[in-house]
Amino acid sequence: MLQQLEGSQALAKAIALCRPQVVCAYPITPQTHIVEGIGELVRNGTLKNCEFLNVESEMAAISVAIGSEAAGVRSYTATSSQGLLYMMEAVYNASGLELPIVMTLGNRTIGSPINIWNDHSDAMSVRDAGWLMLFAENNQEAVDLHIQAFKIAESIKCPVMVCVDGFVLTHAYEQVNIPEQNEVDEFLPKYNPHISMDKKHSYAIGAMVSPNDFMEVRYLAHKRQLDALDVISNVREEFLSKFNRNSGGLIRGYNIDGADTVIVAMGSVLGTIKDAVDNLNASGNEKFGVLSIISYRPFPQNEIKKALNQAKRVIVVEKAFALGKGGILSQEIELVLKGLNIDVISIIAGIGGRIITKQMLMECFENPKDKFQFLGLNRATIEKEYQSPCISKVGKE
Amino acid sequence: MSSLTMGNRFGRNTTVQSENNRPNSLTSGHRACQGCGEALAARCSLDAAYIETKGNIAVVNATGCLEVFSCAYPENSWNIPWVHSLFGNAAAVASGVAAAFKSQKKDIRVIAQGGDGGTTDIGMACLSGMFERNDDVLYICYDNEAYMNTGVQRSSATLTFARTATTLPNGQYMGNDIRTGKNVPEIAMAHGIPYVASASIGDIHDLEKKVKKAIHIKGAKYIQIHSPCPLGWGYPTENTIQLAKLAIKCGLYPLFEAENGVVVNSTAIDNIISVESYLKGQKRFAHLFGKNAQVNSWKVIQELANNHIRKYKLGEVVYE
């Protein structure tokens, strides 16, 4: 049913439709409204047979989910930014233990300086932690990805992180189609866990593994991620036929056939990018297309290569970068396109919630001055800082 | 194997360990050191809980000696459902297991266990959260008073003046001269949880009795079990039980029970001994008694024992 909802409230409803039996809540901006919403649905009886725990930290939130998944029930939590870093040790642990937890990451930057606004620095800090990472472009897709995430996670025994841009999506009111309970029940059947902790299914989970076997364990985890490429695609197909919505999957092209320049990005900025590209295509000679990356982990290299190999130029708009190196997503794209003689340009945008306008993007796409640039960087501030006696004079611009 | 001597069969007060049907929750063949107090404490506790619940227990283990020596892949010494996640999160993982059982309406009792490092230091936040929510978990801390798994470093449970790898005694330094350690049973009591107890492998009957009682109580429970470590403390492996008994008899390890934040029962000591006789059997305190030792420095530890004797009403103070 179409409803006008705040992103977080839409997600709370969608997650409740998936019938998790343990949900743990710890507040951190901007994901807080999601767990608040689920808590309300538990207390008013909408979400039944669900234990909702108010825990004392993010470390406890993910650890409770580890325990409840080990005991064989569908479990959910959400976090952002510093919270993700605080649970980092257990983030790796959850994937190592093959526990299909679903977690929303309300994307927010990482301090210091402290800043609560959106970018993808938090997600990039766990890109090698063994979780599947799916990025939502809008609130409808965020809703749909969560329903798909439980199915994907449980079928391959791997946790899934659904990345939803903080504020831009979590706090935005949009029209969202929330599926009916019976439809979700048909799509996502009752959880049939591969492990549990009653005496009939007694396992020792979490063994110590020596150098004799550790590399094999890691190889298998890598292989599982590669296998997930097919699973994610299949679940998208199944979702499409059931709900008649094209949400999820690995990548999604927009005006990509015959495009001279293809813009690559993840998350909510894709909406603004598509608007910018529409304007450019309507007026100019150069043809622009857009490639959305939905599945960042596993990284769909072959699909990306196939989508981009006809382009002359690729511009990656990325909301995080590696200090001392440069773009992260753009590096991965560059490796995929190695040897194809396609220019890859990296635009670092929206860091710490910096505004990204259609106009800024259009100027940049039409005339990208450098191979690596920061969108809307205020040179005056930087120059002023270099004049300050407090900072080192070494390395002046 | 259990013993079937006349005394055990007909005695009125036999332990689970002496019974034929001992479940061996932690079975033989694991890699603990000879004389390991923690392995014994874990087996005694879990076997008692197993018998009491007809095997309906699930155990969460913190990282540490107990985990390392029991589950080196592909071997495994646990005859019970068992999960190990991390060093500092056992209490929270156990909360999750308990929540899962509650949501499934399964009557399986949940135990979390760890050493003193995983409990009183790195696990403290998750432990306190579990207590505060009164989650239906029995947390057992096997207290050997230092980080033994990583090579005997000081923890917040290390006894005053003890030599550890990070509190080496050398003339001006008296071993662990930092502080007297954290009283976690009392911290647990301050949360007002239904049941808190201290126990020791020096008194198996008492230990089993407390576990059997705790496992049925709904809500958060905490038992801290004194578990001597031959490697970390420096004593011959056959002396583990003897040292645990001496720690009880000198008053340093008071055995008590508390309900809803109030001490309801403590074990009186028949013939109180001096802490000197307990400390002298351990290399970690050798610097208090050698040629170059400061005269009577160990009496600071005697004062700790005397405080326990008075506070928990263990008897009359004999050694001032």
Side-chain angles (χ1 to χ4, degrees), chain A residues 56 63 93 199 205-206 208, chain B residues 54 73 82 84-85 89 133:
Chain A
E56 76 283 357
S63 299
N93 189 251
K199 62 181 171 182
I205 306 161
M208 181 171 195
Chain B
K54 298 185 173 61
Y73 176 84
W82 180 92
H84 157 245
S85 173
N89 71 349
R133 291 186 301 271

Side-chain angles (χ1 to χ4, degrees), chain B residues 207-260:
Chain B
L207 187 164
E208 286 189 354
K209 191 185 76 187
K210 286 168 175 168
V211 171
K212 284 177 166 187
K213 181 175 174 182
I215 199 72
H216 292 297
I217 298 171
K218 295 274 177 199
K221 290 84 61 179
Y222 179 73
I223 302 181
Q224 186 167 301
I225 303 177
H226 202 219
S227 315
C229 169
L231 180 82
W233 295 12
Y235 64 82
T237 53
E238 65 272 23
N239 287 358
T240 297
I241 301 290
Q242 179 64 14
L243 275 173
K245 283 181 189 295
L246 293 178
I248 299 169
K249 292 187 88 160
C250 70
L252 272 178
Y253 222 85
L255 303 183
F256 66 94
E257 289 177 291
E259 291 175 7
N260 304 310

